[in-house]
Amino acid sequence: MKSSADQSFAAFVGIDWGDQKHDVCLKAAGSDAHEHSVIVHRPEAIECWALGLRQRFAGQPIAVCLEIARGPLVSALQRHEFLVLFPVNPSTLAGYRSTFCVSGAKDDPTDAELALEMLLRHPERLCVLRPQSAAMRKLERLVQQRRTLVDEVRRVTNRMTAALKEYFPQVVEWFKDKDTYVFCDFVSRWPTLKQAQRARKARLQAFFHEHNVRYGHIVERRVQSIMAASPLTDDPSVVGPNSLMVISLAQQLRVLLQAVERFDAEIAVVAPTLADYELFAGLPGAGAVFAPRLLVAFGEQRERFDSANRMQSYAGVAPVTQRSGNKCWVHWRLRCPKFVRQTFVEWAAHSIPYCYWAEAYYRQQRAKGSSRQAALRALAFKWIRIVYRCWQTGTPYDEATYLSALKRRGSPLMT
């Protein structure tokens, strides 16, 4: 990817962005003067500032260094083609600041000047922000926001479980999966054991049938458990507030489940329109959830990662080695796109039942004493090397081909 040294610019700009305002430090090419200004965070103010630069420098390219690679300010600036954006990691800029300011002093105008200084003195360290296609950017936001909703579902179900254990613990055992409509509707209709036991047996059976619980023995076992259950407590000071909380949370859960379904429907429309979707859809265990997320993790720009190791480091599954004197220690990578790492680790876990060698490799790592998460990160590390090759060559993954390669190399996974 291009650095700022590969292109001539009419001016250089450093921006310290904020929620209410953005501090700017500008240096025109051929001038030693630094011009400081402030942009109020309003669309009109940002547009006016950009148009002023275009008029002043006759539409020539202007390099802009800022701490973020996405967000409202980036979206606003990307509308102007003459502004070439160079994002820098906030921790990198913080380290650069501490190098020359050991007191720890910090100020927004100074940070804007430091961003400008990095752009001028270390152009080889910065890369141009090249946006992917609109469809890919849309899919990226869809899968990330869907995951946010899934996390909200988990938080709500955890709170419901905690409240139910206070007075109605049996229902937690009756429903293994809490993020379902059947669980949500059951506790909404019968929020206490007494109310559930008052219901007729036929009404309970009809409820489960309406929610597609078709196995007669499961329905019968649940109904018998309901009728035979004993209350944990009859204290109205415990039952009343907690049952009200459960009903309130069930309403939230229903809305969240519907929202996740809407996101799933939109993802199912957008993802297949992208060229590499089938490549990721064919991976073991990828399915409708992980195929779009893996597609987003790799993206469209194949030149972005020149090796599988670069991808592994970016994703945060490659371990970090530190050496000092006679000491050497290895730890997991702390700074990385958390959603990308989460995508690879979760998919690695989901691939185990669908892939022979993945299951064998996971069991091998566990036998060596690795924790579950460490074993999954190791499996994700291995998967990235394989998928990276498929992605670069455009070749779909084939289980038989890979197993044959393992057998030729005498891999212990094939013993």
Side-chain angles (χ1 to χ4, degrees):
M1 300 184 70
K2 289 184 178 180
S3 71
S4 58
D6 299 324
Q7 188 173 358
S8 58
F9 297 100
F12 301 87
V13 177
I15 298 180
D16 180 76
W17 70 280
D19 183 57
Q20 302 295 327
K21 66 178 181 66
H22 312 293
D23 285 86
V24 178
C25 184
L26 181 145
K27 176 185 176 298
S31 171
D32 294 330
H34 286 191
E35 306 171 23
H36 290 270
S37 61
V38 175
I39 309 172
V40 179
H41 185 64
R42 289 202 306 266
E44 300 82 2
I46 298 172
E47 182 75 7
C48 182
W49 176 78
L51 293 177
L53 289 182
R54 169 178 279 176
Q55 184 176 4
R56 176 181 173 182
F57 295 100
Q60 298 181 70
I62 296 175
V64 180
C65 181
L66 65 172
E67 289 179 287
I68 50 175
R70 59 180 298 175
L73 179 60
V74 173
S75 298
L77 296 179
Q78 283 182 329
R79 297 175 58 189
H80 303 277
E81 295 182 358
F82 71 96
L83 295 178
V84 183
L85 307 185
F86 293 89
V88 59
N89 193 297
S91 61
T92 301
L93 193 60
Y96 190 73
R97 182 198 313 118
S98 63
T99 301
F100 302 103
C101 185
V102 294
S103 67
K106 182 184 184 304
D107 193 22
D108 293 342
T110 305
D111 281 356
E113 192 164 356
L114 285 174
L116 173 61
E117 187 175 322
M118 283 199 68
L119 184 61
L120 293 171
R121 297 193 177 184
H122 304 283
E124 73 285 352
R125 297 289 184 180
L126 303 177
C127 293
V128 177
L129 178 63
R130 290 200 307 111
Q132 301 190 86
S133 68
M136 180 63 79
R137 297 198 306 273
K138 181 178 181 180
L139 181 62
E140 180 181 9
R141 289 185 180 274
L142 283 171
V143 296
Q144 289 181 353
Q145 291 173 354
R146 178 195 182 277
R147 179 59 200 223
T148 300
L149 290 173
V150 170
D151 289 339
E152 288 296 325
V153 168
R154 183 179 294 109
R155 276 190 280 271
V156 170
T157 55
N158 285 343
R159 292 172 64 189
M160 290 178 69
T161 301
L164 286 165
K165 285 181 177 180
E166 292 286 330
Y167 74 102
F168 192 6
Q170 295 92 338
V171 74
V172 178
E173 300 173 1
W174 296 335
F175 297 93
K176 179 181 178 182
D177 297 321
K178 312 299 187 295
D179 55 343
T180 59
Y181 285 113
V182 61
F183 171 73
C184 182
D185 292 344
F186 184 91
V187 296
S188 295
R189 183 172 297 184
W190 301 295
T192 67
L193 178 61
K194 183 179 292 186
Q195 289 173 305
Q197 290 180 333
R198 285 176 180 172
R200 292 182 294 109
K201 181 178 179 180
R203 176 62 261 177
L204 291 170
Q205 291 174 334
F207 170 84
F208 289 116
H209 290 157
E210 290 168 3
H211 288 79
N212 296 318
V213 182
R214 299 300 184 186
Y215 295 102
H217 65 285
I218 295 178
V219 173
E220 186 63 27
R221 186 166 63 245
R222 283 184 179 175
V223 172
Q224 289 178 358
S225 297
I226 292 171
M227 296 305 175
S230 300
L232 177 68
T233 179
D234 292 323
D235 186 348
S237 67
V238 176
V239 176
N242 279 297
S243 61
L244 186 60
M245 174 61 77
V246 167
I247 294 171
S248 301
L249 291 173
Q251 293 174 345
Q252 297 179 33
L253 178 59
R254 187 178 294 105
V255 172
L256 287 170
L257 292 176
Q258 292 170 350
V260 171
E261 289 179 352
R262 286 194 293 270
F263 269 83
D264 285 338
E266 186 65 18
I267 289 170
V269 171
V270 176
T273 65
L274 294 163
D276 292 324
Y277 175 72
E278 294 300 328
L279 192 70
F280 295 98
L283 294 172
V289 173
F290 289 107
R293 289 176 61 177
L294 291 168
L295 174 58
V296 165
F298 278 90
E300 298 170 315
Q301 300 165 349
R302 283 172 166 76
E303 70 280 3
R304 183 182 177 193
F305 304 105
D306 56 11
S307 66
N309 183 63
R310 182 69 63 86
M311 182 69 196
Q312 290 162 333
S313 299
Y314 167 76
V317 297
V320 176
T321 302
Q322 289 187 305
R323 293 185 177 89
S324 179
N326 295 325
K327 295 181 179 179
C328 177
W329 62 98
V330 179
H331 61 83
W332 77 321
R333 196 171 297 265
L334 299 177
R335 292 174 178 170
C336 67
K338 301 299 189 295
F339 181 71
V340 175
R341 177 167 63 193
Q342 183 187 62
T343 294
F344 283 114
V345 174
E346 289 181 350
W347 169 59
H350 201 253
S351 71
I352 291 173
Y354 300 91
C355 179
Y356 171 82
W357 71 263
E359 181 179 8
Y361 184 79
Y362 173 76
R363 295 187 183 280
Q364 180 190 78
Q365 294 299 309
R366 295 285 280 162
K368 291 179 180 179
S370 298
S371 66
R372 172 175 168 78
Q373 286 302 312
L376 291 177
R377 286 197 299 272
L379 178 58
F381 183 90
K382 195 171 181 65
W383 262 125
I384 288 176
R385 297 191 68 86
I386 298 168
V387 180
Y388 175 84
R389 181 64 180 272
C390 295
W391 178 59
Q392 285 289 332
T393 61
T395 306
Y397 171 77
D398 182 70
E399 181 87 354
T401 301
Y402 186 68
L403 291 178
S404 298
L406 290 177
K407 188 173 182 179
R408 286 196 305 271
R409 294 197 298 265
S411 170
L413 297 177
M414 300 302 294
T415 58

